[in-house]
Short mmCIF file of all heavy atoms in Angstrom, two decimals:
data_model
loop_
_atom_site.label_atom_id
_atom_site.label_comp_id
_atom_site.label_asym_id
_atom_site.label_seq_id
_atom_site.Cartn_x
_atom_site.Cartn_y
_atom_site.Cartn_z
N GLY A 33 -25.57 -37.72 0.51
CA GLY A 33 -25.86 -38.82 -0.41
C GLY A 33 -24.65 -39.38 -1.10
O GLY A 33 -24.84 -40.31 -1.98
N ASP A 35 -21.16 -41.60 -1.74
CA ASP A 35 -20.68 -42.96 -1.27
C ASP A 35 -19.28 -42.74 -0.65
O ASP A 35 -18.34 -42.49 -1.41
CB ASP A 35 -20.59 -43.81 -2.52
CG ASP A 35 -20.19 -45.22 -2.21
OD1 ASP A 35 -19.65 -45.45 -1.10
OD2 ASP A 35 -20.42 -46.12 -3.07
N ILE A 44 -11.01 -45.02 16.49
CA ILE A 44 -12.09 -44.30 15.82
C ILE A 44 -13.16 -45.22 15.25
O ILE A 44 -14.38 -44.93 15.25
CB ILE A 44 -11.54 -43.44 14.73
CG1 ILE A 44 -10.56 -42.39 15.30
CG2 ILE A 44 -12.62 -42.63 13.95
CD1 ILE A 44 -11.20 -41.36 16.25
N LEU A 59 -23.10 -22.18 13.18
CA LEU A 59 -24.34 -21.59 12.73
C LEU A 59 -25.54 -22.37 13.37
O LEU A 59 -26.72 -21.90 13.16
CB LEU A 59 -24.55 -21.69 11.18
CG LEU A 59 -23.52 -20.93 10.36
CD1 LEU A 59 -23.63 -21.23 8.85
CD2 LEU A 59 -23.64 -19.42 10.58
N VAL A 97 1.44 -43.78 4.62
CA VAL A 97 0.21 -43.85 3.78
C VAL A 97 0.46 -43.87 2.33
O VAL A 97 -0.08 -44.64 1.56
CB VAL A 97 -0.69 -42.68 4.17
CG1 VAL A 97 -1.85 -42.53 3.13
CG2 VAL A 97 -1.34 -42.90 5.52
N LYS A 102 0.64 -46.88 -2.79
CA LYS A 102 1.40 -47.35 -3.94
C LYS A 102 1.24 -48.86 -4.05
O LYS A 102 1.06 -49.40 -5.14
CB LYS A 102 2.88 -47.00 -3.75
CG LYS A 102 3.76 -47.40 -4.98
CD LYS A 102 5.17 -46.94 -4.79
CE LYS A 102 6.03 -47.37 -6.01
NZ LYS A 102 7.46 -46.96 -5.81
N TYR A 104 -1.24 -50.86 -2.61
CA TYR A 104 -2.65 -51.33 -2.73
C TYR A 104 -3.34 -50.93 -3.99
O TYR A 104 -4.16 -51.64 -4.54
CB TYR A 104 -3.47 -50.85 -1.55
CG TYR A 104 -2.86 -51.31 -0.18
CD1 TYR A 104 -3.04 -50.44 0.93
CD2 TYR A 104 -2.25 -52.52 -0.02
CE1 TYR A 104 -2.44 -50.80 2.15
CE2 TYR A 104 -1.74 -52.90 1.22
CZ TYR A 104 -1.85 -52.02 2.27
OH TYR A 104 -1.30 -52.37 3.49
N ALA A 158 -14.02 -21.31 3.02
CA ALA A 158 -14.24 -22.18 1.88
C ALA A 158 -12.99 -23.11 1.73
O ALA A 158 -11.80 -22.64 1.81
CB ALA A 158 -14.42 -21.40 0.62
N LEU A 169 -15.98 -32.23 -10.82
CA LEU A 169 -16.42 -33.31 -9.96
C LEU A 169 -16.50 -32.95 -8.52
O LEU A 169 -17.42 -33.10 -7.80
CB LEU A 169 -15.57 -34.56 -10.17
CG LEU A 169 -15.74 -35.65 -9.13
CD1 LEU A 169 -17.04 -36.39 -9.38
CD2 LEU A 169 -14.60 -36.63 -9.16
N TRP A 192 0.63 -21.13 2.46
CA TRP A 192 1.42 -20.29 3.42
C TRP A 192 0.52 -19.31 4.21
O TRP A 192 0.73 -19.10 5.36
CB TRP A 192 2.53 -19.50 2.70
CG TRP A 192 3.83 -20.18 2.68
CD1 TRP A 192 4.41 -20.76 1.54
CD2 TRP A 192 4.68 -20.54 3.73
NE1 TRP A 192 5.64 -21.34 1.93
CE2 TRP A 192 5.83 -21.19 3.30
CE3 TRP A 192 4.63 -20.19 5.11
CZ2 TRP A 192 6.82 -21.61 4.10
CZ3 TRP A 192 5.63 -20.63 5.95
CH2 TRP A 192 6.72 -21.32 5.44
N ASN A 200 -0.88 -19.95 15.20
CA ASN A 200 -1.56 -19.79 16.46
C ASN A 200 -1.83 -21.08 17.18
O ASN A 200 -2.16 -21.13 18.36
CB ASN A 200 -2.83 -19.00 16.32
CG ASN A 200 -3.49 -18.61 17.58
OD1 ASN A 200 -2.91 -18.06 18.46
ND2 ASN A 200 -4.77 -19.03 17.75
N SER A 216 -8.90 -13.24 22.82
CA SER A 216 -9.33 -12.04 23.47
C SER A 216 -8.30 -11.47 24.51
O SER A 216 -8.45 -10.41 25.00
CB SER A 216 -10.65 -12.30 24.23
OG SER A 216 -10.39 -13.17 25.31
N ALA A 247 -10.61 -11.15 5.87
CA ALA A 247 -10.98 -9.81 5.54
C ALA A 247 -9.82 -8.82 5.70
O ALA A 247 -9.77 -7.85 5.00
CB ALA A 247 -12.21 -9.34 6.34
N GLN A 283 -4.22 -28.41 20.41
CA GLN A 283 -4.67 -28.48 21.77
C GLN A 283 -5.41 -29.82 21.99
O GLN A 283 -5.18 -30.55 23.00
CB GLN A 283 -5.61 -27.39 22.14
CG GLN A 283 -6.02 -27.37 23.63
CD GLN A 283 -6.85 -26.15 24.00
OE1 GLN A 283 -7.68 -26.33 24.93
NE2 GLN A 283 -6.67 -25.01 23.38
N SER A 331 -0.16 -31.31 33.03
CA SER A 331 0.33 -30.29 34.00
C SER A 331 0.91 -29.04 33.35
O SER A 331 1.20 -28.11 33.97
CB SER A 331 1.38 -30.94 34.90
OG SER A 331 2.49 -31.39 34.11
N LEU A 343 9.34 -15.81 24.31
CA LEU A 343 9.57 -15.55 22.91
C LEU A 343 10.47 -14.32 22.71
O LEU A 343 11.24 -14.28 21.84
CB LEU A 343 8.25 -15.33 22.18
CG LEU A 343 7.26 -16.52 22.22
CD1 LEU A 343 5.96 -16.19 21.36
CD2 LEU A 343 7.91 -17.79 21.81
N ALA A 347 14.15 -14.23 20.81
CA ALA A 347 14.54 -13.29 19.85
C ALA A 347 15.81 -12.62 20.04
O ALA A 347 16.54 -12.24 19.18
CB ALA A 347 13.35 -12.29 19.61
N GLU A 349 18.41 -13.86 21.84
CA GLU A 349 19.53 -14.80 21.95
C GLU A 349 20.30 -14.88 20.63
O GLU A 349 19.72 -14.79 19.60
CB GLU A 349 19.04 -16.19 22.38
CG GLU A 349 18.55 -16.19 23.80
CD GLU A 349 17.93 -17.56 24.22
OE1 GLU A 349 17.90 -18.47 23.36
OE2 GLU A 349 17.45 -17.65 25.34
#
Side-chain angles (χ1 to χ4, degrees):
D35 184 343
I44 299 294
L59 297 173
V97 166
K102 183 177 181 179
Y104 304 143
L169 166 74
W192 269 111
N200 186 54
S216 71
Q283 186 177 148
S331 60
L343 298 187
E349 291 174 2

